[in-house]
Short mmCIF file of all heavy atoms in Angstrom, two decimals:
data_model
loop_
_atom_site.label_atom_id
_atom_site.label_comp_id
_atom_site.label_asym_id
_atom_site.label_seq_id
_atom_site.Cartn_x
_atom_site.Cartn_y
_atom_site.Cartn_z
N ASP A 1 9.95 4.30 -5.20
CA ASP A 1 10.70 5.49 -4.89
C ASP A 1 10.05 6.77 -4.78
O ASP A 1 10.30 7.64 -3.95
CB ASP A 1 11.94 5.52 -5.89
CG ASP A 1 12.95 4.41 -5.74
OD1 ASP A 1 12.95 3.76 -4.59
OD2 ASP A 1 13.81 4.21 -6.67
N SER A 2 9.04 6.89 -5.72
CA SER A 2 8.30 8.07 -5.81
C SER A 2 7.47 8.37 -4.52
O SER A 2 7.02 9.59 -4.29
CB SER A 2 7.43 8.07 -7.03
OG SER A 2 6.45 6.98 -6.94
N VAL A 3 7.26 7.33 -3.74
CA VAL A 3 6.23 7.66 -2.50
C VAL A 3 7.12 7.29 -1.21
O VAL A 3 6.60 7.56 -0.11
CB VAL A 3 5.06 6.78 -2.55
CG1 VAL A 3 4.29 7.06 -3.85
CG2 VAL A 3 5.33 5.25 -2.42
N LYS A 4 8.21 6.85 -1.33
CA LYS A 4 9.02 6.48 -0.18
C LYS A 4 9.25 7.56 0.74
O LYS A 4 9.55 8.78 0.26
CB LYS A 4 10.40 5.87 -0.55
CG LYS A 4 11.00 4.85 0.43
CD LYS A 4 12.35 4.25 -0.08
CE LYS A 4 11.87 3.26 -1.18
NZ LYS A 4 13.10 2.52 -1.78
N GLY A 5 8.91 7.31 2.08
CA GLY A 5 9.06 8.52 3.06
C GLY A 5 7.77 9.34 3.10
O GLY A 5 7.67 10.15 4.10
N ARG A 6 6.90 9.20 2.30
CA ARG A 6 5.64 9.89 2.39
C ARG A 6 4.38 8.96 2.59
O ARG A 6 3.41 9.50 3.30
CB ARG A 6 5.25 10.65 1.03
CG ARG A 6 6.50 11.66 0.83
CD ARG A 6 5.99 12.59 -0.40
NE ARG A 6 5.86 11.88 -1.67
CZ ARG A 6 4.73 11.77 -2.41
NH1 ARG A 6 3.63 12.48 -2.13
NH2 ARG A 6 4.74 11.07 -3.50
N PHE A 7 4.40 7.75 2.05
CA PHE A 7 3.29 6.89 2.20
C PHE A 7 3.55 5.67 3.05
O PHE A 7 4.81 5.28 3.14
CB PHE A 7 3.06 6.29 0.80
CG PHE A 7 2.39 7.22 -0.22
CD1 PHE A 7 2.32 8.48 0.10
CD2 PHE A 7 1.81 6.70 -1.28
CE1 PHE A 7 1.76 9.51 -0.84
CE2 PHE A 7 1.30 7.57 -2.26
CZ PHE A 7 1.20 8.94 -2.05
N THR A 8 2.64 5.25 3.74
CA THR A 8 2.88 4.09 4.66
C THR A 8 1.74 2.97 4.37
O THR A 8 0.51 3.42 4.52
CB THR A 8 2.92 4.55 6.17
OG1 THR A 8 3.89 5.43 6.39
CG2 THR A 8 3.12 3.29 7.04
N ILE A 9 2.19 1.81 4.10
CA ILE A 9 1.22 0.69 4.04
C ILE A 9 1.21 -0.01 5.25
O ILE A 9 2.16 -0.34 5.97
CB ILE A 9 1.46 -0.14 2.71
CG1 ILE A 9 0.38 -1.16 2.60
CG2 ILE A 9 2.88 -0.91 2.94
CD1 ILE A 9 0.58 -2.02 1.28
N SER A 10 -0.09 -0.51 5.70
CA SER A 10 -0.36 -1.32 6.89
C SER A 10 -1.44 -2.13 6.66
O SER A 10 -2.25 -1.98 5.76
CB SER A 10 -0.44 -0.38 8.04
OG SER A 10 -1.62 0.39 8.06
N ARG A 11 -1.65 -3.19 7.62
CA ARG A 11 -2.77 -4.13 7.47
C ARG A 11 -3.22 -4.53 8.83
O ARG A 11 -2.42 -4.60 9.84
CB ARG A 11 -2.37 -5.33 6.69
CG ARG A 11 -1.30 -6.28 7.21
CD ARG A 11 -0.98 -7.47 6.33
NE ARG A 11 -1.92 -8.18 5.90
CZ ARG A 11 -1.87 -9.03 4.91
NH1 ARG A 11 -0.89 -9.00 3.96
NH2 ARG A 11 -2.97 -9.85 4.64
N ASP A 12 -4.49 -4.86 8.81
CA ASP A 12 -5.07 -5.37 10.08
C ASP A 12 -5.64 -6.70 9.77
O ASP A 12 -6.77 -6.72 9.20
CB ASP A 12 -6.13 -4.35 10.76
CG ASP A 12 -6.63 -4.84 12.00
OD1 ASP A 12 -6.52 -6.05 12.35
OD2 ASP A 12 -7.12 -3.96 12.84
N ASN A 13 -5.08 -7.78 9.96
CA ASN A 13 -5.56 -9.05 9.58
C ASN A 13 -6.78 -9.48 10.41
O ASN A 13 -7.62 -10.30 9.88
CB ASN A 13 -4.49 -10.11 9.86
CG ASN A 13 -3.36 -10.12 8.62
OD1 ASN A 13 -3.50 -9.40 7.67
ND2 ASN A 13 -2.39 -10.84 8.92
N ALA A 14 -7.01 -8.84 11.48
CA ALA A 14 -8.23 -9.26 12.33
C ALA A 14 -9.51 -8.48 11.53
O ALA A 14 -10.63 -8.96 11.72
CB ALA A 14 -8.19 -8.72 13.65
N LYS A 15 -9.16 -7.44 10.82
CA LYS A 15 -10.40 -6.62 10.18
C LYS A 15 -10.23 -7.03 8.73
O LYS A 15 -11.03 -6.24 7.94
CB LYS A 15 -10.20 -5.14 10.41
CG LYS A 15 -10.29 -4.76 11.96
CD LYS A 15 -10.26 -3.33 12.14
CE LYS A 15 -10.61 -2.99 13.66
NZ LYS A 15 -10.46 -1.39 13.80
N ASN A 16 -9.45 -7.71 8.30
CA ASN A 16 -9.41 -8.14 6.68
C ASN A 16 -9.15 -6.83 5.98
O ASN A 16 -9.91 -6.60 4.92
CB ASN A 16 -10.54 -8.91 6.29
CG ASN A 16 -10.45 -10.27 6.77
OD1 ASN A 16 -9.69 -10.65 7.47
ND2 ASN A 16 -11.55 -11.00 6.26
N THR A 17 -8.38 -5.81 6.44
CA THR A 17 -8.22 -4.50 5.79
C THR A 17 -6.76 -4.18 5.70
O THR A 17 -5.98 -4.52 6.56
CB THR A 17 -8.98 -3.47 6.70
OG1 THR A 17 -10.40 -3.89 6.81
CG2 THR A 17 -8.85 -2.07 6.00
N VAL A 18 -6.46 -3.56 4.52
CA VAL A 18 -5.21 -2.95 4.34
C VAL A 18 -5.35 -1.41 4.05
O VAL A 18 -6.44 -0.96 3.60
CB VAL A 18 -4.49 -3.56 3.13
CG1 VAL A 18 -5.27 -3.44 1.74
CG2 VAL A 18 -3.10 -3.04 3.04
N TYR A 19 -4.36 -0.69 4.49
CA TYR A 19 -4.45 0.77 4.55
C TYR A 19 -3.19 1.39 3.81
O TYR A 19 -2.21 0.70 3.75
CB TYR A 19 -4.38 1.28 5.96
CG TYR A 19 -5.51 0.80 6.84
CD1 TYR A 19 -5.17 -0.29 7.77
CD2 TYR A 19 -6.85 1.33 6.97
CE1 TYR A 19 -6.16 -0.83 8.57
CE2 TYR A 19 -7.73 0.79 7.79
CZ TYR A 19 -7.44 -0.27 8.55
OH TYR A 19 -8.39 -0.81 9.44
N LEU A 20 -3.61 2.56 3.36
CA LEU A 20 -2.36 3.25 2.74
C LEU A 20 -2.59 4.75 3.20
O LEU A 20 -3.32 5.49 2.91
CB LEU A 20 -2.38 3.26 1.20
CG LEU A 20 -1.32 4.08 0.45
CD1 LEU A 20 0.01 3.25 0.77
CD2 LEU A 20 -1.44 4.08 -0.97
N GLN A 21 -1.62 5.14 4.12
CA GLN A 21 -1.51 6.53 4.67
C GLN A 21 -0.71 7.31 3.64
O GLN A 21 0.50 6.94 3.45
CB GLN A 21 -0.99 6.40 6.05
CG GLN A 21 -0.81 7.78 6.70
CD GLN A 21 -2.17 8.49 6.95
OE1 GLN A 21 -3.03 7.91 7.44
NE2 GLN A 21 -2.14 9.74 6.59
N MET A 22 -1.27 8.38 3.14
CA MET A 22 -0.49 9.15 2.26
C MET A 22 -0.46 10.57 2.69
O MET A 22 -1.46 11.19 2.99
CB MET A 22 -1.34 9.18 0.88
CG MET A 22 -1.55 7.92 0.38
SD MET A 22 -2.39 7.99 -1.27
CE MET A 22 -3.90 8.72 -0.92
N ASN A 23 0.87 10.93 2.96
CA ASN A 23 1.15 12.25 3.56
C ASN A 23 1.96 13.21 2.52
O ASN A 23 2.49 12.63 1.52
CB ASN A 23 1.98 12.26 4.87
CG ASN A 23 1.35 11.42 5.84
OD1 ASN A 23 0.05 11.45 6.00
ND2 ASN A 23 2.07 10.70 6.71
N SER A 24 2.00 14.43 2.74
CA SER A 24 2.68 15.39 1.83
C SER A 24 2.47 15.09 0.38
O SER A 24 3.17 14.99 -0.44
CB SER A 24 4.19 15.18 1.99
OG SER A 24 4.47 15.57 3.40
N LEU A 25 1.06 15.05 0.06
CA LEU A 25 0.54 14.60 -1.27
C LEU A 25 1.05 15.76 -2.31
O LEU A 25 1.10 16.97 -2.07
CB LEU A 25 -0.94 14.54 -1.19
CG LEU A 25 -1.42 13.07 -0.77
CD1 LEU A 25 -2.84 13.20 -0.32
CD2 LEU A 25 -1.13 11.99 -1.77
N LYS A 26 1.28 15.30 -3.44
CA LYS A 26 1.71 16.02 -4.54
C LYS A 26 0.72 15.95 -5.77
O LYS A 26 0.07 14.85 -5.94
CB LYS A 26 3.09 15.64 -4.99
CG LYS A 26 4.26 15.64 -3.91
CD LYS A 26 5.49 15.11 -4.51
CE LYS A 26 6.54 15.06 -3.54
NZ LYS A 26 7.87 14.57 -3.89
N PRO A 27 0.60 16.93 -6.65
CA PRO A 27 -0.19 16.80 -7.82
C PRO A 27 0.06 15.49 -8.60
O PRO A 27 -0.80 14.96 -9.12
CB PRO A 27 0.13 18.02 -8.59
CG PRO A 27 0.55 19.13 -7.51
CD PRO A 27 1.34 18.31 -6.58
N GLU A 28 1.39 15.10 -8.63
CA GLU A 28 1.73 13.99 -9.44
C GLU A 28 1.31 12.68 -8.85
O GLU A 28 1.43 11.61 -9.40
CB GLU A 28 3.21 13.96 -9.66
CG GLU A 28 4.17 14.07 -8.54
CD GLU A 28 4.56 15.45 -8.25
OE1 GLU A 28 3.74 16.42 -8.42
OE2 GLU A 28 5.74 15.72 -7.94
N ASP A 29 0.63 12.66 -7.62
CA ASP A 29 0.00 11.63 -6.97
C ASP A 29 -1.40 11.32 -7.52
O ASP A 29 -2.01 10.38 -7.06
CB ASP A 29 0.13 11.68 -5.37
CG ASP A 29 1.43 11.72 -4.77
OD1 ASP A 29 2.33 10.97 -5.22
OD2 ASP A 29 1.64 12.51 -3.88
N THR A 30 -1.90 12.18 -8.16
CA THR A 30 -3.19 12.16 -8.72
C THR A 30 -3.31 10.91 -9.55
O THR A 30 -2.60 10.78 -10.60
CB THR A 30 -3.60 13.43 -9.49
OG1 THR A 30 -3.60 14.46 -8.64
CG2 THR A 30 -4.96 13.19 -10.20
N ALA A 31 -4.28 10.02 -9.19
CA ALA A 31 -4.45 8.82 -10.02
C ALA A 31 -5.65 8.02 -9.34
O ALA A 31 -6.22 8.44 -8.31
CB ALA A 31 -3.28 7.93 -9.91
N VAL A 32 -5.94 6.96 -9.99
CA VAL A 32 -6.90 6.03 -9.46
C VAL A 32 -6.14 5.04 -8.67
O VAL A 32 -5.11 4.43 -9.30
CB VAL A 32 -7.87 5.33 -10.42
CG1 VAL A 32 -8.70 4.27 -9.74
CG2 VAL A 32 -8.72 6.29 -11.17
N TYR A 33 -6.51 4.75 -7.42
CA TYR A 33 -5.62 3.89 -6.59
C TYR A 33 -6.41 2.56 -6.36
O TYR A 33 -7.59 2.55 -6.13
CB TYR A 33 -5.38 4.45 -5.30
CG TYR A 33 -4.33 5.59 -5.21
CD1 TYR A 33 -4.46 6.74 -5.85
CD2 TYR A 33 -3.02 5.24 -4.74
CE1 TYR A 33 -3.41 7.67 -5.99
CE2 TYR A 33 -1.99 6.27 -4.77
CZ TYR A 33 -2.20 7.52 -5.42
OH TYR A 33 -1.26 8.41 -5.58
N TYR A 34 -5.66 1.45 -6.71
CA TYR A 34 -6.22 0.17 -6.61
C TYR A 34 -5.52 -0.65 -5.50
O TYR A 34 -4.28 -0.67 -5.40
CB TYR A 34 -5.99 -0.56 -7.86
CG TYR A 34 -6.78 0.00 -9.13
CD1 TYR A 34 -6.00 0.92 -9.84
CD2 TYR A 34 -7.98 -0.27 -9.54
CE1 TYR A 34 -6.57 1.61 -10.97
CE2 TYR A 34 -8.60 0.29 -10.56
CZ TYR A 34 -7.91 1.31 -11.25
OH TYR A 34 -8.54 1.83 -12.40
N CYS A 35 -6.32 -1.58 -4.76
CA CYS A 35 -5.61 -2.53 -3.85
C CYS A 35 -5.72 -3.78 -4.48
O CYS A 35 -6.65 -4.03 -5.40
CB CYS A 35 -6.20 -2.52 -2.54
SG CYS A 35 -7.80 -3.35 -2.23
N ALA A 36 -4.78 -4.71 -4.17
CA ALA A 36 -4.76 -5.93 -4.82
C ALA A 36 -4.26 -6.94 -3.85
O ALA A 36 -3.52 -6.69 -2.94
CB ALA A 36 -3.93 -6.03 -6.12
N ALA A 37 -4.57 -8.35 -3.99
CA ALA A 37 -4.22 -9.41 -3.25
C ALA A 37 -3.51 -10.51 -3.94
O ALA A 37 -3.86 -10.82 -5.21
CB ALA A 37 -5.48 -10.01 -2.61
N ASP A 38 -2.51 -10.89 -3.43
CA ASP A 38 -1.48 -11.89 -4.08
C ASP A 38 -1.24 -13.04 -3.02
O ASP A 38 -0.51 -12.75 -2.06
CB ASP A 38 -0.28 -11.23 -4.46
CG ASP A 38 0.83 -12.09 -4.95
OD1 ASP A 38 0.48 -13.09 -5.30
OD2 ASP A 38 2.04 -11.65 -4.88
N TRP A 39 -1.69 -14.27 -3.53
CA TRP A 39 -1.51 -15.40 -2.47
C TRP A 39 -0.05 -15.66 -2.32
O TRP A 39 0.67 -15.77 -3.34
CB TRP A 39 -2.26 -16.59 -2.92
CG TRP A 39 -2.22 -17.75 -1.94
CD1 TRP A 39 -3.02 -17.79 -0.89
CD2 TRP A 39 -1.22 -18.76 -2.09
NE1 TRP A 39 -2.73 -18.96 -0.32
CE2 TRP A 39 -1.51 -19.54 -0.82
CE3 TRP A 39 -0.16 -19.08 -2.84
CZ2 TRP A 39 -0.80 -20.66 -0.52
CZ3 TRP A 39 0.50 -20.26 -2.49
CH2 TRP A 39 0.27 -21.01 -1.37
N GLY A 40 0.37 -15.91 -1.13
CA GLY A 40 1.73 -16.39 -0.84
C GLY A 40 1.88 -17.47 0.09
O GLY A 40 1.00 -17.62 0.93
N ASP A 41 2.86 -18.38 -0.08
CA ASP A 41 3.05 -19.46 0.76
C ASP A 41 3.95 -19.30 2.00
O ASP A 41 4.14 -20.24 2.72
CB ASP A 41 3.49 -20.66 -0.05
CG ASP A 41 4.87 -20.36 -0.59
OD1 ASP A 41 5.28 -19.35 -0.45
OD2 ASP A 41 5.45 -21.32 -1.30
N ALA A 42 4.20 -18.00 2.30
CA ALA A 42 5.05 -17.75 3.48
C ALA A 42 4.60 -16.39 3.99
O ALA A 42 4.24 -15.51 3.35
CB ALA A 42 6.52 -17.74 3.04
N GLY A 43 4.81 -16.34 5.31
CA GLY A 43 4.49 -15.18 5.93
C GLY A 43 5.22 -13.97 5.60
O GLY A 43 4.70 -12.68 5.48
N SER A 44 6.43 -14.17 4.93
CA SER A 44 7.22 -13.05 4.56
C SER A 44 7.07 -12.73 3.08
O SER A 44 7.72 -11.78 2.61
CB SER A 44 8.74 -13.40 4.73
OG SER A 44 9.07 -14.69 4.00
N TYR A 45 6.23 -13.47 2.41
CA TYR A 45 5.96 -13.18 0.99
C TYR A 45 5.33 -11.81 0.66
O TYR A 45 4.43 -11.34 1.39
CB TYR A 45 5.16 -14.26 0.46
CG TYR A 45 4.83 -14.08 -1.16
CD1 TYR A 45 5.62 -14.35 -1.99
CD2 TYR A 45 3.53 -13.44 -1.47
CE1 TYR A 45 5.51 -14.03 -3.38
CE2 TYR A 45 3.44 -13.26 -2.76
CZ TYR A 45 4.42 -13.56 -3.76
OH TYR A 45 4.03 -13.23 -5.03
N TYR A 46 5.84 -11.17 -0.36
CA TYR A 46 5.23 -10.05 -0.90
C TYR A 46 5.68 -9.84 -2.35
O TYR A 46 6.66 -10.53 -2.80
CB TYR A 46 5.67 -8.75 -0.10
CG TYR A 46 7.11 -8.45 -0.23
CD1 TYR A 46 7.64 -7.52 -1.25
CD2 TYR A 46 8.19 -9.01 0.52
CE1 TYR A 46 8.84 -7.24 -1.42
CE2 TYR A 46 9.59 -8.72 0.34
CZ TYR A 46 9.84 -7.77 -0.59
OH TYR A 46 11.18 -7.52 -0.76
N SER A 47 5.00 -9.04 -3.05
CA SER A 47 5.53 -8.73 -4.52
C SER A 47 5.16 -7.35 -4.92
O SER A 47 4.22 -6.74 -4.46
CB SER A 47 4.80 -9.76 -5.34
OG SER A 47 5.07 -9.45 -6.80
N SER A 48 6.05 -6.72 -5.78
CA SER A 48 5.78 -5.45 -6.37
C SER A 48 5.37 -5.56 -7.89
O SER A 48 5.24 -4.54 -8.46
CB SER A 48 6.93 -4.58 -6.20
OG SER A 48 8.17 -5.21 -6.96
#
């Protein structure tokens, strides 16, 4: 909820890359940002 409407996640499977576009950044967004991979058995699979 804290980033909804400001951040956009996307991926390019051809480039094996995931992106995080961060707009309207706030001081409270200060942090170390980590990406992570989670195996799933369906194309629609995701996890928070």
Side-chain angles (χ1 to χ4, degrees):
D1 287 343
S2 59
V3 306
K4 202 171 293 182
R6 300 188 297 122
F7 290 12
T8 302
I9 187 171
S10 61
R11 66 188 295 161
D12 185 337
N13 285 350
K15 295 183 177 180
N16 287 5
T17 301
V18 62
Y19 305 96
L20 185 68
Q21 178 67 44
M22 305 186 295
N23 298 330
S24 302
L25 282 161
K26 304 176 180 180
E28 51 263 44
D29 294 319
T30 295
V32 177
Y33 283 71
Y34 299 90
C35 74
D38 175 18
W39 185 85
D41 59 0
S44 59
Y45 176 80
Y46 69 92
S47 174
S48 60

